Amino acid sequence: MKLTDDEKAMLDGKEGPAKQKAMDLLVRYGNALGAERLVDTNNVCGTVVATNPFMREFAAKAGGFDAVFSEFNLDSSEVVEIPMVKAHTCQLIQSFDQDLWEIQGISRDRYELSQKNEAFSAGIGVQLMSTCTPYQVGNVPVKGEHCAWMESSAVVYINSVLGARSNVEGREKHRSRHANRKDPVLGLSS
């Protein structure tokens, strides 16, 4: 794969271990797909931290949100500190309404973890849009813009209606290996 000088510098670790691991993952992914080069994007929508039962348990055992991001976003068992985001990045919806958590039967522990999730995300520069449809609250990609979005229905919309371009990005690489785990807070299977 052809890399720019900036991309080579990140891959060589000149911008820190988190960016090095991210570039390593992108290069491996690109090579597996036969990509010739990476495309620039300044529009990312995804989830950063512990959003499902398994990840909440993982965060508690592995040492926090840097560990979750390292394992599930960077494919790295080595925990690295996550730097400020460089691209415009927004958070997708969390698993419950942050204002009506008690009415929904959410435990205080899970609510407080969610608050910590949001503080972590905001602290690294992620916009807290908390929606599966970011284009309805101000993140409207333009025709031909390359994006990196996780939410599948939003990806279909921006690709087919707005003419932007994005794959359906993902991250839960360990889900099948850890199937049928129980949420320690709710007791639900993941």
Side-chain angles (χ1 to χ4, degrees), residues 23 32 42 63 66 83 94 98 109 113 119 129 141 149 164 184:
M23 283 302 299
N42 194 33
D66 283 325
Q94 295 295 323
Q98 297 293 308
D109 288 345
L113 178 62
M129 290 187 164
W149 285 23

Side-chain angles (χ1 to χ4, degrees), residues 25 29 45-47 55 71-75 92 148-152 155 166-173:
L25 178 61
Y29 183 56
C45 290
T47 56
M55 287 186 180
E71 182 74 25
F72 296 97
N73 291 68
L74 299 177
D75 191 32
L92 293 171
W149 285 23
M150 281 180 146
E151 169 49 50
S152 58
V155 168
S166 181
N167 296 323
V168 177
E169 307 301 340
R171 75 173 202 178
E172 279 84 4
K173 71 177 185 99

Side-chain angles (χ1 to χ4, degrees), residues 9-45:
M10 286 186 273
L11 184 60
D12 291 340
K14 293 180 180 162
E15 291 193 34
K19 291 180 185 177
Q20 180 179 31
K21 290 186 180 304
M23 283 302 299
D24 174 68
L25 178 61
L26 289 171
V27 169
R28 287 187 286 132
Y29 183 56
N31 284 334
L33 295 176
E36 295 177 16
R37 64 181 177 82
L38 299 172
V39 296
D40 289 331
T41 184
N42 194 33
N43 193 330
V44 177
C45 290

Side-chain angles (χ1 to χ4, degrees), residues 52-55 57-58 61 71-72 172-183 188-190:
N52 66 41
F54 171 71
M55 287 186 180
E57 184 179 339
F58 186 90
K61 289 181 179 177
E71 182 74 25
F72 296 97
E172 279 84 4
K173 71 177 185 99
H174 293 289
R175 188 166 179 82
S176 62
R177 186 172 63 166
H178 298 283
N180 299 320
R181 305 276 292 212
K182 295 288 186 182
D183 180 319
L188 301 174
S189 294
S190 59

Side-chain angles (χ1 to χ4, degrees), residues 63-82:
F65 302 131
D66 283 325
V68 171
F69 193 86
S70 295
E71 182 74 25
F72 296 97
N73 291 68
L74 299 177
D75 191 32
S76 172
S77 58
E78 177 190 347
V79 177
V80 294
E81 183 178 342
I82 308 307

